[in-house]
Amino acid sequence: MRKGEKYSLLSDRWFRIIVSSGVILLTAAFVILRYEGFFRMLGVLLCTLRPLLLGGLFALVLNRPYRRFLHDFTVLSEKRAKPFPERQLRCAAITASVLLTLLILTGIVCILLPQLVDSVVMLTENLQFYLSNASGLLTRISGKWLPDGAAAEAQLTALRKELSGILPRLMEKLYTGTAGVLECLLDVGIGAVFSVYLLADSVRLKRQAVQAAERIFRRERTSSLLKTMRLIGTTFERFFTSQLTEALILGVLCLIGMLIFRFPYPLLISVMIGLTNIVPYVGPVVGTIPCMLIILLAEPRMAIWFLIFVVVLQQVESNFIFPRIVGKSVGLPPAWVLAAIIVGGGLFGAAGMLLAVPLTAVIYAVLFGEERESDG
């Protein structure tokens, strides 16, 4: 403590270390002893904050086109005899970014959604027919490989009943999923509006964050904290923009290939392959399984060819698309990615699998940033 400064208990280093250690130990004890209640409370908190978190995510995705439009508008404004005010340029950049996003989404909805709905309806209507074909195929196989007798016939009868009961359970899950989709759409709408406000007030929010950090922490810690926050924002922005771009390219390539080889339900399967590919490593495998099942029910003879097609497509994606589009945007070794997906998916489901990768990338960059830069 310097001369002339008043002593404050809060400024004492050992006091802060003891308090921080006590809070960490109490939190760890609570999590260990009451882990079910802790994760239930955490789930309720995340569900409540979901619109705000989605708004932050949308703001990160819109930040890149927003900065591009702002730069272009600023260059055009400087060529005028009387440049536009900065506030007007920011409003114009936000408007252009939102309009571009709405234009892309409108094109997707108008072009893809009707065909996607038709594919789902056709699949649902023909599901009973597909199950009957599968049952007949099992009966023919059983005549060659299973022994004759009442036991084998009873097993086939039970299997047919099980296959026939899939459709009602599927419709029940579809109804439940529809309600969840409507709730998710409401959160998406609120998050979209919140993201616009975040972009509009980004300068003020950054200034207020710096002021708040300087009042709470020392200047050295404030600089380190702001650097970490910038790292978090940059990592999440690069991850989601690169993964969405890669998923779009892969979905288009899958659609073109399925149309060329005349696989059934090309649009539905291409959308599933593209969306599941957003999650690295695990997503392509998880997306291939239901698509393979759909092909197997609709056209059993084409199932093997579809599997070969998907494997070749994923090899093209891994060796050509992924290095050029994603590159080192995340900067995580495969072992860290798989561990993040397993832990995040086990705790928070699909959202946890998606968010765990960039969050783990931030932790990895903080712990091993120098090593990653030397490797690069």
Side-chain angles (χ1 to χ4, degrees):
M1 187 175 62
R2 298 177 181 177
K3 293 182 179 181
E5 293 184 356
K6 294 183 179 180
Y7 176 77
S8 176
L9 187 62
L10 294 177
S11 62
D12 187 79
R13 179 171 177 268
W14 288 105
F15 175 79
R16 293 200 303 268
I17 292 176
I18 293 174
V19 172
S20 301
S21 302
V23 171
I24 294 174
L25 290 176
L26 289 176
T27 304
F30 177 76
V31 172
I32 293 174
L33 297 178
R34 302 290 182 181
Y35 65 94
E36 294 182 356
F38 173 78
F39 285 111
R40 190 181 301 113
M41 180 180 64
L42 186 60
V44 172
L45 179 62
L46 291 177
C47 185
T48 305
L49 297 178
R50 185 168 56 183
L52 302 182
L53 297 176
L54 287 174
L57 178 61
F58 295 157
L60 288 176
V61 175
L62 290 174
N63 188 39
R64 181 169 295 183
Y66 164 71
R67 293 201 309 265
R68 182 63 183 178
F69 280 120
L70 182 60
H71 175 268
D72 294 340
F73 291 161
T74 303
V75 172
L76 293 176
S77 177
E78 291 176 351
K79 296 179 180 180
R80 290 170 50 92
K82 186 179 179 180
F84 291 105
E86 184 180 356
R87 184 178 182 85
Q88 293 182 4
L89 293 176
R90 292 185 178 277
C91 292
I94 293 174
T95 304
S97 303
V98 173
L99 289 178
L100 177 63
T101 305
L102 291 178
L103 181 63
I104 295 174
L105 293 178
T106 302
I108 293 175
V109 170
C110 294
I111 297 175
L112 296 183
L113 187 60
Q115 302 181 27
L116 188 61
V117 171
D118 293 341
S119 299
V120 174
V121 171
M122 185 182 301
L123 178 62
T124 305
E125 292 176 350
N126 297 333
L127 185 60
Q128 192 66 39
F129 174 72
Y130 294 154
L131 294 177
S132 300
N133 289 341
S135 177
L137 180 62
L138 290 174
T139 303
R140 291 194 299 270
I141 294 176
S142 64
K144 296 181 179 180
W145 299 99
L146 295 180
D148 297 332
E153 186 64 26
Q155 292 179 0
L156 290 175
T157 302
L159 182 59
R160 293 192 190 99
K161 291 182 179 179
E162 182 67 23
L163 292 175
S164 300
I166 290 179
L167 185 59
R169 293 197 298 270
L170 182 63
M171 297 303 296
E172 181 181 357
K173 291 182 178 180
L174 183 62
Y175 175 79
T176 305
T178 303
V181 168
L182 293 177
E183 182 181 359
C184 183
L185 289 177
L186 179 61
D187 292 339
V188 168
I190 298 175
V193 175
F194 182 63
S195 66
V196 174
Y197 283 104
L198 286 178
L199 289 177
D201 294 337
S202 58
V203 177
R204 183 192 305 174
L205 291 174
K206 290 178 181 178
R207 184 176 64 251
Q208 291 175 349
V210 172
Q211 293 175 355
E214 289 178 349
R215 292 178 180 178
I216 298 174
F217 305 101
R218 296 178 180 177
R219 185 174 298 274
E220 296 80 6
R221 292 189 177 182
T222 300
S223 178
S224 177
L225 178 62
L226 294 177
K227 182 179 179 181
T228 303
M229 295 303 296
R230 284 194 294 268
L231 176 63
I232 293 175
T234 303
T235 302
F236 273 79
E237 177 187 350
R238 289 178 178 176
F239 173 76
F240 283 106
T241 53
S242 59
Q243 289 298 123
L244 289 175
T245 304
E246 183 195 8
L248 177 61
I249 295 175
L250 184 66
V252 171
L253 291 178
C254 182
L255 178 61
I256 294 174
M258 294 195 68
L259 291 175
I260 293 175
F261 295 107
R262 297 182 180 181
F263 290 114
Y265 304 106
L267 185 62
L268 176 62
I269 292 178
S270 299
V271 171
M272 294 174 63
I273 292 292
L275 289 178
T276 54
N277 198 76
I278 295 177
V279 180
Y281 297 101
V282 178
V285 179
V286 174
T288 304
I289 295 176
C291 296
M292 183 72 178
L293 180 60
I294 293 175
I295 297 294
L296 186 62
L297 291 175
E299 296 288 343
R301 297 179 180 178
M302 304 184 72
I304 300 299
W305 293 109
F306 173 75
L307 182 61
I308 296 174
F309 166 72
V310 171
V311 170
V312 173
L313 183 64
Q314 290 177 357
Q315 290 299 318
V316 172
E317 180 266 339
S318 301
N319 295 307
F320 296 99
I321 301 177
F322 187 86
R324 295 180 180 272
I325 301 299
V326 180
K328 297 183 179 180
S329 62
V330 179
L332 271 181
W336 283 69
V337 174
L338 292 176
I341 292 173
I342 293 173
V343 175
L347 293 178
F348 304 109
M353 295 175 65
L354 188 61
L355 296 176
V357 176
L359 185 60
T360 307
V362 173
I363 298 174
Y364 183 83
V366 172
L367 295 178
F368 311 104
E370 297 180 356
E371 177 182 346
R372 187 176 65 170
E373 292 177 359
S374 62
D375 293 341

